[in-house]
């Protein structure tokens, strides 16, 4: 049997999502068509949009559907800096953003000359608020994009403070909330951001559907040119099937983020209590920082993360690393290195991300498999 501990990569479908999508399969009209078939698709889409809006307590017109979290982050960053009123202004991100923010910022800098600043993080993965204050005090910042929680470590950034600093400086604030939606209970207003990014496959929805939620006055140009879909903010015929799935997924979360997460937090604590005594030099990245309840990133120096993933896979457990394979060589994660963790140890980072389907027996089984793997590793020298 396979036990899935990679819920930050993607999740299984939540109850009701499959049903909503199979019903949507029958609705083939184009939501932009005025005839009956088009209107049926439009209705399906509007209903789903209302459900997503309800989950975050916003109005439907604040929700812009995209093809993914990646596209949603691209839309916010590119759409903001394409708007002529933001020309010449600076983009501020953190050192631990997902590649779809990090690389987009680098591209905007390289191709459009958008000045960029990266706020460093400390050993626990928390952003340096003093650095952010300094860059804001120098003026000319257009947008601050700092993620809500990190996908590799689960560390939650102090975004209420970031939002306040941005508001005081008259600067727009975007947060990538992909790893907190469905893991923490909040409304859009609670985050204090002008724009947030979502990706539904991280919270029990289908893959290939994301969204941006914005304040209605957020300056955003469509980054695709074509039709007038999504109120001229994202051209391209909508993915009605996945939008229906996203709606069902959001409806499912209206009850129970907190109770679900309390359950997961207990299991995660049990996991960490079981892992920590297994090796003297084992440590957990971000252990002293606020974290989402489901994520543990564990380092055992000299146990290469990629090797651990394979060994644990053979034992029936799906986990992951943050490292990337480039030209056949495994590179340490940029995010883990940003914590000041040396490259040889960063290569040993292993992410275990629990889900609502995780049981106590899964966690116990994992600890036992991990212990066995360490014994084998010691024997191998
Ligand atoms: N942002 C964060 C923090 C993520 O973890 C991910 C996916 O791993 C994304 C954005 C991209 O989302 P998607 O997989 O929908 O492109």
């Amino acid at each position: 049997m396979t036990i899935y501990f990679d819920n930050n990569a993607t999740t299984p479908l939540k109850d009701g999502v499959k049903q909503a999508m199979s019903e949507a399969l029958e609705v083939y009209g184009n939501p932009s068509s005025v005839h009956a078939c088009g209107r049926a698709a439009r209705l399906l889409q509007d209903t789903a949009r209302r459900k997503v809006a309800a989950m975050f307590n916003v109005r439907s017109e604040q929700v812009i559907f995209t093809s993914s979290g990646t596209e949603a982050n691209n839309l916010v960053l590119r759409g903001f800096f394409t708007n002529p009123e933001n020309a010449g202004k600076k983009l501020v991100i953190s050192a631990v953003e997902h590649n779809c923010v990090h690389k987009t910022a680098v591209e905007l800098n390289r191709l459009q000359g958008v000045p960029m600043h990266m706020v460093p993080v400390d050993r626990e993965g928390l952003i340096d608020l003093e650095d952010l204050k300094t860059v804001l005090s120098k003026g000319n910042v257009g947008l601050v994009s700092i993620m809500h929680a990190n996908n590799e470590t689960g560390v939650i950034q102090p975004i209420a403070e970031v939002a306040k600093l941005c508001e005081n400086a008259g600067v727009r604030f975007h947060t990538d909330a992909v790893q907190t939606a469905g893991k923490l209970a909040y409304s859009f207003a609670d985050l204090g951001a002008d724009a947030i990014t979502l990706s539904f496959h991280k919270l029990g929805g289908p893959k290939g559907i994301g969204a941006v939620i914005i304040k209605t006055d957020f300056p955003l140009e469509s980054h695709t040119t074509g039709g007038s879909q999504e109120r001229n903010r994202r051209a391209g015929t909508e993915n009605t099937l996945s939008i229906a799935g996203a709606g069902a997924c959001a409806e499912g979360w209206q009850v129970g983020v907190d109770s679900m997460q309390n359950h997961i937090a207990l299991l995660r604590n049990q996991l960490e209590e079981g892992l920590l005594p297994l090796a003297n030099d084992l440590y957990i990245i971000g252990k002293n920082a606020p974290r989402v309840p489901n994520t543990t990133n564990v380092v055992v120096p000299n146990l290469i993360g990629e090797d651990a993933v394979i060994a644990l896979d053979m034992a029936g457990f799906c986990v992951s690393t943050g490292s990337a394979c480039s030209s056949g060589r495994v590179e340490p994660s940029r995010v883990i290195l940003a914590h000041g963790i040396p490259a040889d140890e960063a290569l040993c980072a292993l992410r275990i991300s629990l889900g609502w389907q995780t049981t106590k027996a899964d966690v116990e089984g994992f600890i036992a498999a991990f212990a066995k793997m360490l014994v084998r590793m010691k024997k191998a020298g």
Side-chain angles (χ1 to χ4, degrees):
M1 201 172 75
T2 300
I3 309 288
Y4 188 70
F5 276 132
D6 200 12
N7 289 276
N8 285 9
T10 197
T11 57
L13 294 181
K14 229 177 137 43
D15 287 349
V17 173
K18 196 171 165 188
Q19 173 74 21
M21 290 180 77
S22 58
E23 283 166 22
L25 273 171
E26 306 301 324
V27 184
Y28 55 84
N30 184 323
S32 297
S33 302
V34 293
H35 50 60
C37 288
R39 290 199 306 277
R42 163 74 57 185
L43 177 65
L44 191 87
Q45 190 168 287
D46 288 348
T47 307
R49 195 187 304 276
R50 265 201 303 280
K51 290 176 181 172
V52 171
M55 181 175 174
F56 296 94
N57 203 15
V58 294
R59 292 199 306 278
S60 281
E61 59 268 30
Q62 292 176 257
V63 178
I64 307 169
F65 285 119
T66 62
S67 66
S68 59
T70 296
E71 192 203 327
N73 279 335
N74 269 266
L75 172 58
V76 172
L77 269 57
R78 293 180 194 276
F80 184 87
F81 285 100
T82 306
N83 189 306
E85 75 182 63
N86 300 316
K89 290 190 186 162
K90 194 180 279 176
L91 168 61
V92 175
I93 65 169
S94 84
V96 292
E97 296 302 312
H98 188 274
N99 267 341
C100 58
V101 166
H102 179 91
K103 288 191 176 177
T104 306
V106 171
E107 279 275 295
L108 282 170
N109 178 262
R110 190 172 67 87
L111 299 176
Q112 280 175 234
V114 174
M116 169 191 164
H117 176 84
M118 205 148 69
V119 178
V121 298
D122 63 15
R123 181 79 184 198
E124 294 295 321
L126 289 167
I127 55 159
D128 181 345
L129 282 169
E130 291 307 314
D131 181 85
L132 178 61
K133 277 183 203 160
T134 305
V135 70
L136 287 172
S137 70
K138 290 185 184 153
N140 200 35
V141 176
L143 181 70
V144 170
S145 178
I146 291 183
M147 71 198 322
H148 194 188
N150 184 266
N151 43 302
E152 293 182 39
T153 61
V155 169
I156 302 171
Q157 298 298 343
I159 62 159
E161 278 152 281
V162 175
K164 190 111 259 95
L165 290 174
C166 290
E167 195 187 342
N168 292 343
V171 166
R172 297 289 189 164
F173 171 45
H174 161 251
T175 190
D176 174 349
V178 164
Q179 290 293 346
T180 56
K183 295 190 179 112
L184 305 174
Y186 55 79
S187 68
F188 176 67
D190 290 339
L191 301 186
D194 294 281
I196 70 169
T197 291
L198 305 170
S199 171
F200 291 93
H201 73 100
K202 310 285 187 180
L203 62 150
K207 292 167 186 59
I209 181 77
V212 180
I213 298 182
I214 56 169
K215 282 188 181 161
T216 40
D217 65 350
F218 187 76
L220 193 76
E221 295 289 321
S222 176
H223 72 140
T224 44
T225 39
S228 57
Q229 289 90 354
E230 299 297 298
R231 294 171 176 257
N232 285 316
R233 296 170 300 192
R234 194 263 181 187
T237 301
E238 301 89 339
N239 179 352
T240 44
L241 190 62
S242 290
I243 289 175
C249 165
E251 189 172 36
W253 280 115
Q254 279 177 30
V255 276
V257 173
D258 275 337
S259 60
M260 180 71 74
Q261 293 309 325
N262 289 342
H263 156 79
I264 295 177
L266 287 175
L267 293 175
R268 197 264 310 267
N269 294 346
Q270 184 196 346
L271 172 72
E272 295 189 347
E273 279 159 23
L275 292 180
L276 279 165
L278 294 180
N280 289 338
D281 49 358
L282 180 153
Y283 64 94
I284 289 161
I285 302 174
K287 176 100 171 83
N288 301 314
R291 285 177 297 156
V292 287
N294 79 318
T295 310
T296 294
N297 196 313
V298 61
V299 175
V300 183
N302 300 321
L303 172 61
I304 302 294
E306 287 293 312
D307 296 344
V309 167
I310 293 165
L312 290 164
D313 187 32
M314 280 160 64
F317 296 93
C318 301
V319 294
S320 69
T321 68
S323 6
C325 188
S326 73
S327 20
R329 234 187 51 199
V330 178
E331 301 284 351
S333 149
R334 165 181 60 75
V335 166
I336 304 297
L337 290 176
H339 291 62
I341 292 174
D344 57 337
E345 286 183 19
L347 275 173
C348 300
L350 188 72
R351 180 182 72 182
I352 306 144
S353 48
L354 282 56
W356 55 83
Q357 73 284 14
T358 305
T359 65
K360 197 166 182 307
D362 295 342
V363 170
E364 286 164 357
F366 183 83
I367 296 167
F370 203 90
K372 257 195 205 157
M373 176 177 70
L374 292 182
V375 170
R376 270 203 312 275
M377 185 186 109
K378 262 201 202 119
K379 275 195 191 141

